[in-house]
Amino acid sequence: MVTAAKYLLRFDDICPGMNWAVWREVQCVLEGNGVRPLVAIVPDNRDAHLNVGPARADFWEQVRRWQSQGWTVGLHGYQHVYSTTESGIMGRNRYSEFAGLGRQAQLCKIRQGIAVFAEQGVVPQVWVAPAHSFDEVTLEVLAECGMRRISDGYSVLPHVDARGLLWIPQQLGRFRGMPGGVWTVCCHINAWTPANVRHFARDMERFVERMAGFEEIAAQYAQRRPGLADRLSEGSMQLARSLRFAGSH
């Protein structure tokens, strides 16, 4: 049964050289509304495109504070460097840090990413693949490494797959009024303007009563298995996305 819509908020590409001027304003909005987002952190960023300003020396101190406040910390790949042209399971982008690589290479990257977190006293709680690109090998490696939550997918509700991995879907790039289900809104703030921040603040005012924390949703759906409705919603959303992108070229 699909319940009244709940929203999760996810911020990708969190790293020392991100847009801290915008982030300070965004964080004020989050804290003012009591929203606990998922922050997807690149453990060892080597993607120059993500470095839009001076690297913050106290970055990991900030991450530890976020986690202590009940924010969810995501493992956003390892170095955010795309090494293949595979789109992986989701089929959203034709480039990947993981999809198409052998098991040992993927295992090494994920272990190294988790090790960076451990050195900083931070525990990653969910997998967030750069470019939404990962494959079945990635899932095997994640399970082996104890990373059993995934922020991705097109279903309307979270579910646990045959490997025992909990999928919390990520379907939206902006807030929209939805009739029911659990919806993750993914934000990339590096290029945001003051107008984007103001729009975000208005969205928070509008949707704050429907916002949920990742841990709350993870606990609620920890035992739920996927059904026909999940397969139908995933298929329809993937089709709609592919048609939208096809029409834009």
Side-chain angles (χ1 to χ4, degrees):
M1 178 179 179
V2 177
T3 59
K6 287 284 189 180
Y7 295 86
L8 295 167
L9 195 55
R10 173 178 128 185
F11 292 92
D12 280 13
D13 303 338
I14 304 299
C15 64
M18 71 185 199
N19 191 332
W20 289 101
V22 166
W23 179 254
R24 281 192 292 271
E25 297 184 55
V26 168
Q27 184 166 310
C28 284
V29 174
L30 294 171
E31 293 177 343
N33 287 281
V35 174
R36 298 186 301 276
L38 163 58
V39 280
I41 295 165
V42 184
D44 179 29
N45 180 49
R46 301 296 177 88
D47 184 347
H49 295 96
L50 303 188
N51 294 326
V52 298
R56 188 159 176 166
D58 65 345
F59 174 72
W60 287 102
E61 181 180 335
Q62 293 296 313
V63 177
R64 288 188 289 271
R65 184 169 74 85
W66 296 334
Q67 192 159 57
S68 72
Q69 291 175 232
W71 294 21
T72 297
V73 172
L75 177 67
H76 195 31
Y78 174 41
Q79 295 178 326
H80 209 275
V81 174
Y82 302 122
S83 55
T84 80
T85 56
E86 299 292 328
S87 58
I89 295 169
M90 302 309 304
R92 290 178 67 161
N93 298 292
R94 293 179 181 175
Y95 43 88
S96 182
E97 186 179 12
F98 291 88
L101 294 181
R103 187 180 186 283
Q104 190 57 40
Q106 295 203 42
L107 180 62
C108 182
K109 286 188 177 190
I110 290 171
R111 281 180 172 171
Q112 287 176 318
I114 293 172
V116 172
F117 279 81
E119 289 168 4
Q120 297 295 336
V122 178
V123 179
Q125 297 153 287
V126 57
W127 167 253
V128 181
H132 302 271
S133 301
F134 58 101
D135 57 18
E136 293 290 341
V137 174
T138 319
L139 297 179
E140 293 175 9
V141 169
L142 289 170
E144 180 178 332
C145 292
M147 186 66 60
R148 309 196 72 84
R149 295 169 171 178
I150 296 167
S151 174
D152 224 321
Y154 291 107
S155 62
V156 174
L157 292 174
H159 63 269
V160 178
D161 69 12
R163 290 189 176 90
L165 301 176
L166 174 64
W167 291 69
I168 295 186
Q170 194 287 295
Q171 318 96 321
L172 302 177
R174 61 181 176 84
F175 280 95
R176 299 175 185 174
M178 307 302 287
V182 175
W183 303 88
T184 302
V185 180
C186 182
C187 302
H188 298 81
I189 61 98
N190 272 347
W192 278 15
T193 64
N196 293 132
V197 176
R198 290 193 296 271
H199 187 82
F200 174 72
R202 289 194 296 269
D203 279 340
M204 284 295 93
E205 292 179 3
R206 180 184 174 193
F207 288 94
V208 66
E209 297 300 324
R210 293 287 187 183
M211 298 300 297
F214 186 90
E215 295 305 319
E216 170 193 343
I217 295 298
Q220 182 177 353
Y221 293 95
Q223 305 300 322
R224 182 179 177 274
R225 296 289 177 175
L228 178 60
D230 296 281
R231 291 189 288 274
L232 291 175
S233 66
E234 285 191 341
S236 62
M237 277 189 267
Q238 281 186 309
L239 177 60
R241 184 179 179 84
S242 64
L243 290 174
R244 185 167 69 251
F245 276 94
S248 67
H249 295 311

